[in-house]
């Protein structure tokens, strides 16, 4: 399934130029904010009040070499009015395996559920963060905890950008022919999480650009094309933020309110299985 968000209809050449200018402006602003997001957020210890009537809490995951400062505007919009608990997760910049990061995410989600009094959460991942979240949901049983996963410029099919960076293990895992990508292509019957994948034809980090779409027969996935913006702008553009809020405020499905299945055995080192800024 696919949708398109087109903030302003302009000729393709004009749109490309505007996207490049906007991306440069967003990058400049992000570099200024970057130091403010280096330290890990201290989660609120306040007990949940009336959790049964509140939407699921939201956890935001940043991309490769980034931090939580990339979500300043999105977080403010999602948490407006105090109706929804929104938190960020700074995964380690020294990680060499996104599967290990996914297991850390699993523990962070369990802790958030305990503090919030909620059975399920929503995840939003930018770039690599979306891939970590998808691995948790699809390969580590996270679909029992995650209602909706929104990804922004995430290389679901692998990206071929910057071949000179293959020395970094995380970059190698984001290649189309990596073991991680093979695991994500494997069958995932009964996955309860719904997916929303936002992608842009001007996302220079996605090669090819369509790799930011989720193409998997077992997943409830909607791919949303955003025109006229680049990779970093996906997390700050007003049209995207509005659409993401709509994703999280949408009607509940039967699977969203069904009792949580029994606890699965603790996740171990992932094993291969046979066989979409």
């Amino acid at each position: 399934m696919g949708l398109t968000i087109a903030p302003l209809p302009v000729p393709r050449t004009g749109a490309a130029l505007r996207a490049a200018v906007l991306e440069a402006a967003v990058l400049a602003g992000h570099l200024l904010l970057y130091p403010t997001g280096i330290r890990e957020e201290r989660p609120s210890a306040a007990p949940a009040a009336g959790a049964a009537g509140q939407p699921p809490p939201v956890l935001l995951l940043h991309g490769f070499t980034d931090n939580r400062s990339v979500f300043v505007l999105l977080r403010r919009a999602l948490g407006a009015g105090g109706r929804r608990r929104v938190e960020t997760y700074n995964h380690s910049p020294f990680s060499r395996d996104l599967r290990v990061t996914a297991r850390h995410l699993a523990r962070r989600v369990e802790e958030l559920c305990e503090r919030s009094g909620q059975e399920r959460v929503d995840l939003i991942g930018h770039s690599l963060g979306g891939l970590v979240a998808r691995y948790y949901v699809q390969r580590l049983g996270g679909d029992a905890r995650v209602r909706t996963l929104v990804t922004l410029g995430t290389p679901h099919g692998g990206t071929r950008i910057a071949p000179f960076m293959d020395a970094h293990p995380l970059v190698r895992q984001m290649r189309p022919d990596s073991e991680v990508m093979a695991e994500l292509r494997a069958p995932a019957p009964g996955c309860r999480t719904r997916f929303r994948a936002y992608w842009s034809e001007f996302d220079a980090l996605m090669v090819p650009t369509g790799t930011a779409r989720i193409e998997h027969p077992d997943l409830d996935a909607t791919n949303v094309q955003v025109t006229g913006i680049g990779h970093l702008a996906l997390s700050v553009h007003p049209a995207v933020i509005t659409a993401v809020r709509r994703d999280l405020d949408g009607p509940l499905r039967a699977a969203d309110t069904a009792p949580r299945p029994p606890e699965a055995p603790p996740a171990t080192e992932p094993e291969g299985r046979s066989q979409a800024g």
Side-chain angles (χ1 to χ4, degrees):
M1 183 185 298
L3 301 172
T4 301
I5 295 177
L8 289 175
V10 294
R12 181 173 178 81
T13 53
L17 177 60
R18 186 183 67 178
V21 171
L22 176 60
E23 192 75 352
V26 173
L27 175 60
H30 185 44
L31 290 176
L32 291 175
L33 289 173
Y34 191 92
T36 68
I38 293 176
R39 296 186 61 182
E40 179 64 69
E41 173 185 11
R42 180 174 298 178
S44 171
Q54 294 180 342
V58 179
L59 191 60
L60 308 173
L61 293 87
H62 62 80
F64 181 61
T65 71
D66 210 339
N67 63 40
R68 60 190 176 91
S69 63
V70 74
F71 292 121
V72 168
L73 297 181
L74 179 59
R75 179 177 184 169
R76 183 182 303 164
L78 294 177
R83 175 172 172 265
R84 176 186 284 113
R85 183 189 293 251
V86 184
E87 297 183 3
T88 57
Y89 175 50
N90 265 14
H91 44 89
S92 173
F94 304 109
S95 175
R96 298 171 61 84
D97 191 332
L98 71 81
R99 295 168 292 191
V100 173
T101 303
R103 290 199 293 275
H104 292 321
L105 171 62
R107 292 193 287 271
R108 181 70 167 80
V109 168
E110 291 298 322
E111 185 267 341
L112 175 56
C113 287
E114 182 178 354
R115 282 189 295 104
S116 66
Q118 297 273 28
E119 285 292 314
R120 308 195 80 189
V121 305
D122 292 330
L123 298 180
I124 300 176
H126 181 244
S127 197
L128 173 65
L131 209 58
V132 170
R134 180 179 168 189
Y135 193 93
Y136 161 57
V137 166
Q138 192 175 326
R139 300 289 296 176
L140 301 180
D143 64 311
R145 281 298 198 195
V146 179
R147 182 188 67 154
T148 302
L149 169 56
V150 176
T151 65
L152 307 171
T154 290
H156 291 288
T159 178
R160 301 185 184 280
I161 189 69
F164 60 87
M165 290 186 65
D166 278 356
H168 197 295
L170 280 180
V171 174
R172 292 199 301 270
Q173 289 184 331
M174 289 189 282
R175 298 308 189 198
D177 57 353
S178 73
E179 291 183 0
V180 168
M181 292 301 162
E183 290 183 64
L184 293 178
R185 288 193 296 268
C191 183
R192 300 172 61 196
T193 299
R194 58 185 172 188
F195 298 79
R196 299 291 185 271
Y198 287 78
W199 68 283
S200 171
E201 76 273 33
F202 298 125
D203 187 337
L205 297 187
M206 299 296 107
V207 179
T209 54
T211 194
R213 300 191 298 253
I214 296 178
E215 307 289 351
H216 195 297
D218 295 334
L219 301 183
D220 175 9
T222 299
N223 296 302
V224 185
Q225 180 181 2
V226 186
T227 66
I229 65 176
H231 188 73
L232 281 175
L234 282 166
S235 64
V236 302
H237 197 283
V240 178
I241 291 175
T242 298
V244 170
R245 289 186 63 181
R246 189 163 53 243
D247 290 337
L248 302 188
D249 289 337
L252 295 176
R253 306 169 303 166
D256 295 333
T257 56
R260 185 171 179 240
E263 290 288 343
T268 58
E269 191 69 29
E271 299 178 356
R273 292 170 58 185
S274 61
Q275 290 263 143

